mmCIF file with all atom_site columns, all heavy atoms in Angstrom:
data_model
loop_
_atom_site.group_PDB
_atom_site.id
_atom_site.type_symbol
_atom_site.label_atom_id
_atom_site.label_alt_id
_atom_site.label_comp_id
_atom_site.label_asym_id
_atom_site.label_entity_id
_atom_site.label_seq_id
_atom_site.pdbx_PDB_ins_code
_atom_site.Cartn_x
_atom_site.Cartn_y
_atom_site.Cartn_z
_atom_site.occupancy
_atom_site.B_iso_or_equiv
_atom_site.pdbx_formal_charge
_atom_site.auth_seq_id
_atom_site.auth_comp_id
_atom_site.auth_asym_id
_atom_site.auth_atom_id
_atom_site.pdbx_PDB_model_num
ATOM 1   N N   . GLU D 1 1  ? -346.772 -216.712 29.878 1.00 0.00 ? 981  GLU D N   1
ATOM 2   C CA  . GLU D 1 1  ? -346.020 -215.471 29.760 1.00 0.00 ? 981  GLU D CA  1
ATOM 3   C C   . GLU D 1 1  ? -346.454 -214.516 30.858 1.00 0.00 ? 981  GLU D C   1
ATOM 4   O O   . GLU D 1 1  ? -347.533 -214.663 31.438 1.00 0.00 ? 981  GLU D O   1
ATOM 5   C CB  . GLU D 1 1  ? -346.240 -214.840 28.378 1.00 0.00 ? 981  GLU D CB  1
ATOM 6   C CG  . GLU D 1 1  ? -345.692 -215.686 27.232 1.00 0.00 ? 981  GLU D CG  1
ATOM 7   C CD  . GLU D 1 1  ? -345.940 -215.066 25.881 1.00 0.00 ? 981  GLU D CD  1
ATOM 8   O OE1 . GLU D 1 1  ? -346.814 -214.174 25.793 1.00 0.00 ? 981  GLU D OE1 1
ATOM 9   O OE2 . GLU D 1 1  ? -345.276 -215.461 24.906 1.00 0.00 ? 981  GLU D OE2 1
ATOM 10  N N   . ASN D 1 2  ? -345.581 -213.538 31.159 1.00 0.00 ? 982  ASN D N   1
ATOM 11  C CA  . ASN D 1 2  ? -345.859 -212.562 32.229 1.00 0.00 ? 982  ASN D CA  1
ATOM 12  C C   . ASN D 1 2  ? -346.141 -213.266 33.552 1.00 0.00 ? 982  ASN D C   1
ATOM 13  O O   . ASN D 1 2  ? -347.037 -212.888 34.305 1.00 0.00 ? 982  ASN D O   1
ATOM 14  C CB  . ASN D 1 2  ? -347.040 -211.659 31.848 1.00 0.00 ? 982  ASN D CB  1
ATOM 15  C CG  . ASN D 1 2  ? -346.777 -210.899 30.572 1.00 0.00 ? 982  ASN D CG  1
ATOM 16  O OD1 . ASN D 1 2  ? -345.672 -210.397 30.370 1.00 0.00 ? 982  ASN D OD1 1
ATOM 17  N ND2 . ASN D 1 2  ? -347.771 -210.811 29.702 1.00 0.00 ? 982  ASN D ND2 1
ATOM 18  N N   . ASN D 1 3  ? -345.346 -214.280 33.817 1.00 0.00 ? 983  ASN D N   1
ATOM 19  C CA  . ASN D 1 3  ? -345.488 -215.082 35.046 1.00 0.00 ? 983  ASN D CA  1
ATOM 20  C C   . ASN D 1 3  ? -344.522 -214.522 36.101 1.00 0.00 ? 983  ASN D C   1
ATOM 21  O O   . ASN D 1 3  ? -343.307 -214.527 35.900 1.00 0.00 ? 983  ASN D O   1
ATOM 22  C CB  . ASN D 1 3  ? -345.152 -216.539 34.738 1.00 0.00 ? 983  ASN D CB  1
ATOM 23  C CG  . ASN D 1 3  ? -345.436 -217.445 35.921 1.00 0.00 ? 983  ASN D CG  1
ATOM 24  O OD1 . ASN D 1 3  ? -346.572 -217.784 36.171 1.00 0.00 ? 983  ASN D OD1 1
ATOM 25  N ND2 . ASN D 1 3  ? -344.395 -217.828 36.646 1.00 0.00 ? 983  ASN D ND2 1
ATOM 26  N N   . GLU D 1 4  ? -345.044 -214.027 37.229 1.00 0.00 ? 984  GLU D N   1
ATOM 27  C CA  . GLU D 1 4  ? -344.228 -213.310 38.205 1.00 0.00 ? 984  GLU D CA  1
ATOM 28  C C   . GLU D 1 4  ? -343.735 -214.156 39.375 1.00 0.00 ? 984  GLU D C   1
ATOM 29  O O   . GLU D 1 4  ? -342.679 -213.875 39.927 1.00 0.00 ? 984  GLU D O   1
ATOM 30  C CB  . GLU D 1 4  ? -345.027 -212.118 38.761 1.00 0.00 ? 984  GLU D CB  1
ATOM 31  C CG  . GLU D 1 4  ? -345.380 -211.076 37.726 1.00 0.00 ? 984  GLU D CG  1
ATOM 32  C CD  . GLU D 1 4  ? -344.167 -210.270 37.272 1.00 0.00 ? 984  GLU D CD  1
ATOM 33  O OE1 . GLU D 1 4  ? -343.073 -210.482 37.817 1.00 0.00 ? 984  GLU D OE1 1
ATOM 34  O OE2 . GLU D 1 4  ? -344.324 -209.428 36.368 1.00 0.00 ? 984  GLU D OE2 1
ATOM 35  N N   . ASN D 1 5  ? -344.472 -215.172 39.771 1.00 0.00 ? 985  ASN D N   1
ATOM 36  C CA  . ASN D 1 5  ? -344.146 -215.849 41.033 1.00 0.00 ? 985  ASN D CA  1
ATOM 37  C C   . ASN D 1 5  ? -343.287 -217.094 40.808 1.00 0.00 ? 985  ASN D C   1
ATOM 38  O O   . ASN D 1 5  ? -343.443 -218.099 41.477 1.00 0.00 ? 985  ASN D O   1
ATOM 39  C CB  . ASN D 1 5  ? -345.422 -216.222 41.786 1.00 0.00 ? 985  ASN D CB  1
ATOM 40  C CG  . ASN D 1 5  ? -346.246 -217.277 41.055 1.00 0.00 ? 985  ASN D CG  1
ATOM 41  O OD1 . ASN D 1 5  ? -346.083 -217.483 39.869 1.00 0.00 ? 985  ASN D OD1 1
ATOM 42  N ND2 . ASN D 1 5  ? -347.136 -217.942 41.795 1.00 0.00 ? 985  ASN D ND2 1
ATOM 43  N N   . THR D 1 6  ? -342.356 -217.027 39.875 1.00 0.00 ? 986  THR D N   1
ATOM 44  C CA  . THR D 1 6  ? -341.553 -218.199 39.549 1.00 0.00 ? 986  THR D CA  1
ATOM 45  C C   . THR D 1 6  ? -340.373 -218.341 40.503 1.00 0.00 ? 986  THR D C   1
ATOM 46  O O   . THR D 1 6  ? -339.782 -217.357 40.946 1.00 0.00 ? 986  THR D O   1
ATOM 47  C CB  . THR D 1 6  ? -341.007 -218.099 38.123 1.00 0.00 ? 986  THR D CB  1
ATOM 48  O OG1 . THR D 1 6  ? -340.212 -216.911 38.016 1.00 0.00 ? 986  THR D OG1 1
ATOM 49  C CG2 . THR D 1 6  ? -342.131 -218.036 37.109 1.00 0.00 ? 986  THR D CG2 1
ATOM 50  N N   . THR D 1 7  ? -340.056 -219.585 40.804 1.00 0.00 ? 987  THR D N   1
ATOM 51  C CA  . THR D 1 7  ? -338.789 -219.886 41.441 1.00 0.00 ? 987  THR D CA  1
ATOM 52  C C   . THR D 1 7  ? -337.722 -219.979 40.362 1.00 0.00 ? 987  THR D C   1
ATOM 53  O O   . THR D 1 7  ? -338.038 -220.178 39.183 1.00 0.00 ? 987  THR D O   1
ATOM 54  C CB  . THR D 1 7  ? -338.863 -221.211 42.212 1.00 0.00 ? 987  THR D CB  1
ATOM 55  O OG1 . THR D 1 7  ? -337.549 -221.538 42.707 1.00 0.00 ? 987  THR D OG1 1
ATOM 56  C CG2 . THR D 1 7  ? -339.321 -222.353 41.316 1.00 0.00 ? 987  THR D CG2 1
ATOM 57  N N   . LYS D 1 8  ? -336.482 -219.830 40.740 1.00 0.00 ? 988  LYS D N   1
ATOM 58  C CA  . LYS D 1 8  ? -335.386 -219.899 39.767 1.00 0.00 ? 988  LYS D CA  1
ATOM 59  C C   . LYS D 1 8  ? -335.259 -221.288 39.181 1.00 0.00 ? 988  LYS D C   1
ATOM 60  O O   . LYS D 1 8  ? -334.780 -221.456 38.054 1.00 0.00 ? 988  LYS D O   1
ATOM 61  C CB  . LYS D 1 8  ? -334.082 -219.485 40.452 1.00 0.00 ? 988  LYS D CB  1
ATOM 62  C CG  . LYS D 1 8  ? -332.852 -219.638 39.584 1.00 0.00 ? 988  LYS D CG  1
ATOM 63  C CD  . LYS D 1 8  ? -331.590 -219.284 40.349 1.00 0.00 ? 988  LYS D CD  1
ATOM 64  C CE  . LYS D 1 8  ? -330.350 -219.486 39.483 1.00 0.00 ? 988  LYS D CE  1
ATOM 65  N NZ  . LYS D 1 8  ? -329.096 -219.153 40.200 1.00 0.00 ? 988  LYS D NZ  1
ATOM 66  N N   . HIS D 1 9  ? -335.679 -222.309 39.927 1.00 0.00 ? 989  HIS D N   1
ATOM 67  C CA  . HIS D 1 9  ? -335.378 -223.684 39.548 1.00 0.00 ? 989  HIS D CA  1
ATOM 68  C C   . HIS D 1 9  ? -336.575 -224.392 38.910 1.00 0.00 ? 989  HIS D C   1
ATOM 69  O O   . HIS D 1 9  ? -337.727 -223.973 39.053 1.00 0.00 ? 989  HIS D O   1
ATOM 70  C CB  . HIS D 1 9  ? -334.926 -224.471 40.779 1.00 0.00 ? 989  HIS D CB  1
ATOM 71  C CG  . HIS D 1 9  ? -333.707 -223.894 41.437 1.00 0.00 ? 989  HIS D CG  1
ATOM 72  N ND1 . HIS D 1 9  ? -332.480 -223.865 40.818 1.00 0.00 ? 989  HIS D ND1 1
ATOM 73  C CD2 . HIS D 1 9  ? -333.539 -223.321 42.653 1.00 0.00 ? 989  HIS D CD2 1
ATOM 74  C CE1 . HIS D 1 9  ? -331.595 -223.293 41.640 1.00 0.00 ? 989  HIS D CE1 1
ATOM 75  N NE2 . HIS D 1 9  ? -332.207 -222.954 42.740 1.00 0.00 ? 989  HIS D NE2 1
ATOM 76  N N   . THR D 1 10 ? -336.254 -225.473 38.234 1.00 0.00 ? 990  THR D N   1
ATOM 77  C CA  . THR D 1 10 ? -337.288 -226.404 37.791 1.00 0.00 ? 990  THR D CA  1
ATOM 78  C C   . THR D 1 10 ? -337.858 -227.119 39.019 1.00 0.00 ? 990  THR D C   1
ATOM 79  O O   . THR D 1 10 ? -337.112 -227.476 39.939 1.00 0.00 ? 990  THR D O   1
ATOM 80  C CB  . THR D 1 10 ? -336.696 -227.436 36.821 1.00 0.00 ? 990  THR D CB  1
ATOM 81  O OG1 . THR D 1 10 ? -336.334 -226.780 35.612 1.00 0.00 ? 990  THR D OG1 1
ATOM 82  C CG2 . THR D 1 10 ? -337.681 -228.546 36.510 1.00 0.00 ? 990  THR D CG2 1
ATOM 83  N N   . GLU D 1 11 ? -339.163 -227.324 39.026 1.00 0.00 ? 991  GLU D N   1
ATOM 84  C CA  . GLU D 1 11 ? -339.810 -228.086 40.098 1.00 0.00 ? 991  GLU D CA  1
ATOM 85  C C   . GLU D 1 11 ? -340.431 -229.338 39.478 1.00 0.00 ? 991  GLU D C   1
ATOM 86  O O   . GLU D 1 11 ? -341.176 -229.245 38.500 1.00 0.00 ? 991  GLU D O   1
ATOM 87  C CB  . GLU D 1 11 ? -340.872 -227.257 40.795 1.00 0.00 ? 991  GLU D CB  1
ATOM 88  C CG  . GLU D 1 11 ? -340.300 -226.058 41.551 1.00 0.00 ? 991  GLU D CG  1
ATOM 89  C CD  . GLU D 1 11 ? -341.373 -225.249 42.231 1.00 0.00 ? 991  GLU D CD  1
ATOM 90  O OE1 . GLU D 1 11 ? -342.335 -224.831 41.550 1.00 0.00 ? 991  GLU D OE1 1
ATOM 91  O OE2 . GLU D 1 11 ? -341.276 -225.038 43.461 1.00 0.00 ? 991  GLU D OE2 1
ATOM 92  N N   . VAL D 1 12 ? -340.112 -230.488 40.075 1.00 0.00 ? 992  VAL D N   1
ATOM 93  C CA  . VAL D 1 12 ? -340.599 -231.769 39.564 1.00 0.00 ? 992  VAL D CA  1
ATOM 94  C C   . VAL D 1 12 ? -341.455 -232.405 40.652 1.00 0.00 ? 992  VAL D C   1
ATOM 95  O O   . VAL D 1 12 ? -340.956 -232.759 41.723 1.00 0.00 ? 992  VAL D O   1
ATOM 96  C CB  . VAL D 1 12 ? -339.435 -232.705 39.187 1.00 0.00 ? 992  VAL D CB  1
ATOM 97  C CG1 . VAL D 1 12 ? -339.980 -233.970 38.526 1.00 0.00 ? 992  VAL D CG1 1
ATOM 98  C CG2 . VAL D 1 12 ? -338.444 -232.006 38.259 1.00 0.00 ? 992  VAL D CG2 1
ATOM 99  N N   . PHE D 1 13 ? -342.747 -232.540 40.377 1.00 0.00 ? 993  PHE D N   1
ATOM 100 C CA  . PHE D 1 13 ? -343.694 -233.111 41.332 1.00 0.00 ? 993  PHE D CA  1
ATOM 101 C C   . PHE D 1 13 ? -343.884 -234.590 40.993 1.00 0.00 ? 993  PHE D C   1
ATOM 102 O O   . PHE D 1 13 ? -344.601 -234.938 40.049 1.00 0.00 ? 993  PHE D O   1
ATOM 103 C CB  . PHE D 1 13 ? -345.016 -232.348 41.283 1.00 0.00 ? 993  PHE D CB  1
ATOM 104 C CG  . PHE D 1 13 ? -344.870 -230.894 41.629 1.00 0.00 ? 993  PHE D CG  1
ATOM 105 C CD1 . PHE D 1 13 ? -344.766 -229.944 40.633 1.00 0.00 ? 993  PHE D CD1 1
ATOM 106 C CD2 . PHE D 1 13 ? -344.806 -230.482 42.956 1.00 0.00 ? 993  PHE D CD2 1
ATOM 107 C CE1 . PHE D 1 13 ? -344.626 -228.601 40.947 1.00 0.00 ? 993  PHE D CE1 1
ATOM 108 C CE2 . PHE D 1 13 ? -344.666 -229.153 43.285 1.00 0.00 ? 993  PHE D CE2 1
ATOM 109 C CZ  . PHE D 1 13 ? -344.565 -228.197 42.276 1.00 0.00 ? 993  PHE D CZ  1
ATOM 110 N N   . CYS D 1 14 ? -343.223 -235.447 41.765 1.00 0.00 ? 994  CYS D N   1
ATOM 111 C CA  . CYS D 1 14 ? -343.186 -236.886 41.480 1.00 0.00 ? 994  CYS D CA  1
ATOM 112 C C   . CYS D 1 14 ? -344.356 -237.578 42.180 1.00 0.00 ? 994  CYS D C   1
ATOM 113 O O   . CYS D 1 14 ? -344.168 -238.408 43.083 1.00 0.00 ? 994  CYS D O   1
ATOM 114 C CB  . CYS D 1 14 ? -341.845 -237.466 41.904 1.00 0.00 ? 994  CYS D CB  1
ATOM 115 S SG  . CYS D 1 14 ? -340.424 -236.626 41.179 1.00 0.00 ? 994  CYS D SG  1
ATOM 116 N N   . ASP D 1 15 ? -345.529 -237.213 41.767 1.00 0.00 ? 995  ASP D N   1
ATOM 117 C CA  . ASP D 1 15 ? -346.763 -237.721 42.348 1.00 0.00 ? 995  ASP D CA  1
ATOM 118 C C   . ASP D 1 15 ? -347.414 -238.623 41.307 1.00 0.00 ? 995  ASP D C   1
ATOM 119 O O   . ASP D 1 15 ? -347.819 -238.166 40.239 1.00 0.00 ? 995  ASP D O   1
ATOM 120 C CB  . ASP D 1 15 ? -347.676 -236.545 42.692 1.00 0.00 ? 995  ASP D CB  1
ATOM 121 C CG  . ASP D 1 15 ? -348.961 -236.973 43.397 1.00 0.00 ? 995  ASP D CG  1
ATOM 122 O OD1 . ASP D 1 15 ? -349.259 -238.188 43.406 1.00 0.00 ? 995  ASP D OD1 1
ATOM 123 O OD2 . ASP D 1 15 ? -349.655 -236.080 43.912 1.00 0.00 ? 995  ASP D OD2 1
ATOM 124 N N   . ARG D 1 16 ? -347.532 -239.918 41.618 1.00 0.00 ? 996  ARG D N   1
ATOM 125 C CA  . ARG D 1 16 ? -348.054 -240.854 40.624 1.00 0.00 ? 996  ARG D CA  1
ATOM 126 C C   . ARG D 1 16 ? -349.482 -240.512 40.206 1.00 0.00 ? 996  ARG D C   1
ATOM 127 O O   . ARG D 1 16 ? -349.932 -240.896 39.134 1.00 0.00 ? 996  ARG D O   1
ATOM 128 C CB  . ARG D 1 16 ? -347.992 -242.285 41.165 1.00 0.00 ? 996  ARG D CB  1
ATOM 129 C CG  . ARG D 1 16 ? -348.913 -242.565 42.335 1.00 0.00 ? 996  ARG D CG  1
ATOM 130 C CD  . ARG D 1 16 ? -348.759 -243.979 42.852 1.00 0.00 ? 996  ARG D CD  1
ATOM 131 N NE  . ARG D 1 16 ? -349.664 -244.253 43.958 1.00 0.00 ? 996  ARG D NE  1
ATOM 132 C CZ  . ARG D 1 16 ? -350.915 -244.689 43.820 1.00 0.00 ? 996  ARG D CZ  1
ATOM 133 N NH1 . ARG D 1 16 ? -351.397 -244.899 42.610 1.00 0.00 ? 996  ARG D NH1 1
ATOM 134 N NH2 . ARG D 1 16 ? -351.682 -244.907 44.877 1.00 0.00 ? 996  ARG D NH2 1
ATOM 135 N N   . ARG D 1 17 ? -350.200 -239.750 41.058 1.00 0.00 ? 997  ARG D N   1
ATOM 136 C CA  . ARG D 1 17 ? -351.577 -239.371 40.711 1.00 0.00 ? 997  ARG D CA  1
ATOM 137 C C   . ARG D 1 17 ? -351.606 -238.293 39.619 1.00 0.00 ? 997  ARG D C   1
ATOM 138 O O   . ARG D 1 17 ? -352.555 -238.221 38.843 1.00 0.00 ? 997  ARG D O   1
ATOM 139 C CB  . ARG D 1 17 ? -352.305 -238.866 41.955 1.00 0.00 ? 997  ARG D CB  1
ATOM 140 C CG  . ARG D 1 17 ? -352.458 -239.927 43.046 1.00 0.00 ? 997  ARG D CG  1
ATOM 141 C CD  . ARG D 1 17 ? -352.912 -239.309 44.340 1.00 0.00 ? 997  ARG D CD  1
ATOM 142 N NE  . ARG D 1 17 ? -351.939 -238.339 44.842 1.00 0.00 ? 997  ARG D NE  1
ATOM 143 C CZ  . ARG D 1 17 ? -352.068 -237.668 45.985 1.00 0.00 ? 997  ARG D CZ  1
ATOM 144 N NH1 . ARG D 1 17 ? -353.158 -237.851 46.735 1.00 0.00 ? 997  ARG D NH1 1
ATOM 145 N NH2 . ARG D 1 17 ? -351.139 -236.815 46.381 1.00 0.00 ? 997  ARG D NH2 1
ATOM 146 N N   . ARG D 1 18 ? -350.556 -237.445 39.571 1.00 0.00 ? 998  ARG D N   1
ATOM 147 C CA  . ARG D 1 18 ? -350.471 -236.422 38.536 1.00 0.00 ? 998  ARG D CA  1
ATOM 148 C C   . ARG D 1 18 ? -349.026 -235.915 38.462 1.00 0.00 ? 998  ARG D C   1
ATOM 149 O O   . ARG D 1 18 ? -348.686 -234.874 39.020 1.00 0.00 ? 998  ARG D O   1
ATOM 150 C CB  . ARG D 1 18 ? -351.394 -235.238 38.813 1.00 0.00 ? 998  ARG D CB  1
ATOM 151 C CG  . ARG D 1 18 ? -351.292 -234.124 37.756 1.00 0.00 ? 998  ARG D CG  1
ATOM 152 C CD  . ARG D 1 18 ? -351.904 -234.537 36.439 1.00 0.00 ? 998  ARG D CD  1
ATOM 153 N NE  . ARG D 1 18 ? -353.358 -234.569 36.552 1.00 0.00 ? 998  ARG D NE  1
ATOM 154 C CZ  . ARG D 1 18 ? -354.141 -235.142 35.638 1.00 0.00 ? 998  ARG D CZ  1
ATOM 155 N NH1 . ARG D 1 18 ? -353.605 -235.729 34.577 1.00 0.00 ? 998  ARG D NH1 1
ATOM 156 N NH2 . ARG D 1 18 ? -355.454 -235.152 35.794 1.00 0.00 ? 998  ARG D NH2 1
ATOM 157 N N   . PRO D 1 19 ? -348.147 -236.668 37.817 1.00 0.00 ? 999  PRO D N   1
ATOM 158 C CA  . PRO D 1 19 ? -346.781 -236.178 37.646 1.00 0.00 ? 999  PRO D CA  1
ATOM 159 C C   . PRO D 1 19 ? -346.786 -234.828 36.915 1.00 0.00 ? 999  PRO D C   1
ATOM 160 O O   . PRO D 1 19 ? -347.560 -234.611 35.982 1.00 0.00 ? 999  PRO D O   1
ATOM 161 C CB  . PRO D 1 19 ? -346.118 -237.267 36.806 1.00 0.00 ? 999  PRO D CB  1
ATOM 162 C CG  . PRO D 1 19 ? -346.938 -238.499 37.085 1.00 0.00 ? 999  PRO D CG  1
ATOM 163 C CD  . PRO D 1 19 ? -348.336 -238.014 37.257 1.00 0.00 ? 999  PRO D CD  1
ATOM 164 N N   . CYS D 1 20 ? -345.916 -233.948 37.383 1.00 0.00 ? 1000 CYS D N   1
ATOM 165 C CA  . CYS D 1 20 ? -345.871 -232.600 36.812 1.00 0.00 ? 1000 CYS D CA  1
ATOM 166 C C   . CYS D 1 20 ? -344.448 -232.075 36.893 1.00 0.00 ? 1000 CYS D C   1
ATOM 167 O O   . CYS D 1 20 ? -343.702 -232.373 37.840 1.00 0.00 ? 1000 CYS D O   1
ATOM 168 C CB  . CYS D 1 20 ? -346.813 -231.672 37.585 1.00 0.00 ? 1000 CYS D CB  1
ATOM 169 S SG  . CYS D 1 20 ? -346.578 -229.912 37.256 1.00 0.00 ? 1000 CYS D SG  1
ATOM 170 N N   . ILE D 1 21 ? -344.064 -231.286 35.895 1.00 0.00 ? 1001 ILE D N   1
ATOM 171 C CA  . ILE D 1 21 ? -342.800 -230.574 35.929 1.00 0.00 ? 1001 ILE D CA  1
ATOM 172 C C   . ILE D 1 21 ? -343.062 -229.148 35.484 1.00 0.00 ? 1001 ILE D C   1
ATOM 173 O O   . ILE D 1 21 ? -343.851 -228.901 34.571 1.00 0.00 ? 1001 ILE D O   1
ATOM 174 C CB  . ILE D 1 21 ? -341.739 -231.263 35.031 1.00 0.00 ? 1001 ILE D CB  1
ATOM 175 C CG1 . ILE D 1 21 ? -340.407 -230.498 35.094 1.00 0.00 ? 1001 ILE D CG1 1
ATOM 176 C CG2 . ILE D 1 21 ? -342.218 -231.383 33.594 1.00 0.00 ? 1001 ILE D CG2 1
ATOM 177 C CD1 . ILE D 1 21 ? -339.262 -231.237 34.425 1.00 0.00 ? 1001 ILE D CD1 1
ATOM 178 N N   . THR D 1 22 ? -342.442 -228.201 36.169 1.00 0.00 ? 1002 THR D N   1
ATOM 179 C CA  . THR D 1 22 ? -342.571 -226.797 35.804 1.00 0.00 ? 1002 THR D CA  1
ATOM 180 C C   . THR D 1 22 ? -341.174 -226.201 35.661 1.00 0.00 ? 1002 THR D C   1
ATOM 181 O O   . THR D 1 22 ? -340.329 -226.365 36.538 1.00 0.00 ? 1002 THR D O   1
ATOM 182 C CB  . THR D 1 22 ? -343.411 -226.010 36.828 1.00 0.00 ? 1002 THR D CB  1
ATOM 183 O OG1 . THR D 1 22 ? -343.265 -224.613 36.588 1.00 0.00 ? 1002 THR D OG1 1
ATOM 184 C CG2 . THR D 1 22 ? -343.012 -226.319 38.256 1.00 0.00 ? 1002 THR D CG2 1
ATOM 185 N N   . LEU D 1 23 ? -340.939 -225.554 34.524 1.00 0.00 ? 1003 LEU D N   1
ATOM 186 C CA  . LEU D 1 23 ? -339.598 -225.117 34.160 1.00 0.00 ? 1003 LEU D CA  1
ATOM 187 C C   . LEU D 1 23 ? -339.548 -223.610 33.984 1.00 0.00 ? 1003 LEU D C   1
ATOM 188 O O   . LEU D 1 23 ? -340.455 -223.008 33.391 1.00 0.00 ? 1003 LEU D O   1
ATOM 189 C CB  . LEU D 1 23 ? -339.147 -225.780 32.854 1.00 0.00 ? 1003 LEU D CB  1
ATOM 190 C CG  . LEU D 1 23 ? -339.194 -227.304 32.799 1.00 0.00 ? 1003 LEU D CG  1
ATOM 191 C CD1 . LEU D 1 23 ? -340.462 -227.767 32.096 1.00 0.00 ? 1003 LEU D CD1 1
ATOM 192 C CD2 . LEU D 1 23 ? -337.977 -227.861 32.079 1.00 0.00 ? 1003 LEU D CD2 1
ATOM 193 N N   . PRO D 1 24 ? -338.456 -222.967 34.468 1.00 0.00 ? 1004 PRO D N   1
ATOM 194 C CA  . PRO D 1 24 ? -338.324 -221.517 34.307 1.00 0.00 ? 1004 PRO D CA  1
ATOM 195 C C   . PRO D 1 24 ? -337.952 -221.166 32.874 1.00 0.00 ? 1004 PRO D C   1
ATOM 196 O O   . PRO D 1 24 ? -337.424 -221.986 32.122 1.00 0.00 ? 1004 PRO D O   1
ATOM 197 C CB  . PRO D 1 24 ? -337.179 -221.171 35.258 1.00 0.00 ? 1004 PRO D CB  1
ATOM 198 C CG  . PRO D 1 24 ? -336.326 -222.412 35.264 1.00 0.00 ? 1004 PRO D CG  1
ATOM 199 C CD  . PRO D 1 24 ? -337.298 -223.560 35.146 1.00 0.00 ? 1004 PRO D CD  1
ATOM 200 N N   . GLY D 1 25 ? -338.226 -219.942 32.506 1.00 0.00 ? 1005 GLY D N   1
ATOM 201 C CA  . GLY D 1 25 ? -337.836 -219.437 31.201 1.00 0.00 ? 1005 GLY D CA  1
ATOM 202 C C   . GLY D 1 25 ? -337.433 -217.987 31.299 1.00 0.00 ? 1005 GLY D C   1
ATOM 203 O O   . GLY D 1 25 ? -337.693 -217.319 32.306 1.00 0.00 ? 1005 GLY D O   1
ATOM 204 N N   . PRO D 1 26 ? -336.808 -217.454 30.267 1.00 0.00 ? 1006 PRO D N   1
ATOM 205 C CA  . PRO D 1 26 ? -336.431 -216.040 30.275 1.00 0.00 ? 1006 PRO D CA  1
ATOM 206 C C   . PRO D 1 26 ? -337.642 -215.145 30.046 1.00 0.00 ? 1006 PRO D C   1
ATOM 207 O O   . PRO D 1 26 ? -338.710 -215.607 29.624 1.00 0.00 ? 1006 PRO D O   1
ATOM 208 C CB  . PRO D 1 26 ? -335.448 -215.951 29.106 1.00 0.00 ? 1006 PRO D CB  1
ATOM 209 C CG  . PRO D 1 26 ? -335.886 -217.031 28.175 1.00 0.00 ? 1006 PRO D CG  1
ATOM 210 C CD  . PRO D 1 26 ? -336.396 -218.144 29.044 1.00 0.00 ? 1006 PRO D CD  1
ATOM 211 N N   . ASP D 1 27 ? -337.460 -213.876 30.340 1.00 0.00 ? 1007 ASP D N   1
ATOM 212 C CA  . ASP D 1 27 ? -338.477 -212.870 30.026 1.00 0.00 ? 1007 ASP D CA  1
ATOM 213 C C   . ASP D 1 27 ? -339.829 -213.201 30.651 1.00 0.00 ? 1007 ASP D C   1
ATOM 214 O O   . ASP D 1 27 ? -340.876 -213.093 30.016 1.00 0.00 ? 1007 ASP D O   1
ATOM 215 C CB  . ASP D 1 27 ? -338.614 -212.698 28.510 1.00 0.00 ? 1007 ASP D CB  1
ATOM 216 C CG  . ASP D 1 27 ? -337.282 -212.391 27.833 1.00 0.00 ? 1007 ASP D CG  1
ATOM 217 O OD1 . ASP D 1 27 ? -336.506 -211.625 28.420 1.00 0.00 ? 1007 ASP D OD1 1
ATOM 218 O OD2 . ASP D 1 27 ? -337.033 -212.936 26.743 1.00 0.00 ? 1007 ASP D OD2 1
ATOM 219 N N   . ARG D 1 28 ? -339.786 -213.664 31.925 1.00 0.00 ? 1008 ARG D N   1
ATOM 220 C CA  . ARG D 1 28 ? -341.016 -213.915 32.705 1.00 0.00 ? 1008 ARG D CA  1
ATOM 221 C C   . ARG D 1 28 ? -341.896 -214.991 32.078 1.00 0.00 ? 1008 ARG D C   1
ATOM 222 O O   . ARG D 1 28 ? -343.118 -214.907 32.090 1.00 0.00 ? 1008 ARG D O   1
ATOM 223 C CB  . ARG D 1 28 ? -341.790 -212.615 32.889 1.00 0.00 ? 1008 ARG D CB  1
ATOM 224 C CG  . ARG D 1 28 ? -341.030 -211.553 33.666 1.00 0.00 ? 1008 ARG D CG  1
ATOM 225 C CD  . ARG D 1 28 ? -341.610 -210.174 33.443 1.00 0.00 ? 1008 ARG D CD  1
ATOM 226 N NE  . ARG D 1 28 ? -342.998 -210.110 33.866 1.00 0.00 ? 1008 ARG D NE  1
ATOM 227 C CZ  . ARG D 1 28 ? -343.870 -209.248 33.357 1.00 0.00 ? 1008 ARG D CZ  1
ATOM 228 N NH1 . ARG D 1 28 ? -343.517 -208.438 32.388 1.00 0.00 ? 1008 ARG D NH1 1
ATOM 229 N NH2 . ARG D 1 28 ? -345.105 -209.226 33.814 1.00 0.00 ? 1008 ARG D NH2 1
#
């Protein structure tokens, strides 16, 4: 919560060493 430096889009890091996905949400 209170996250300011978000991009508008989902980011999917397709790295077999550490797959990660980061998703935007409303209200920061």
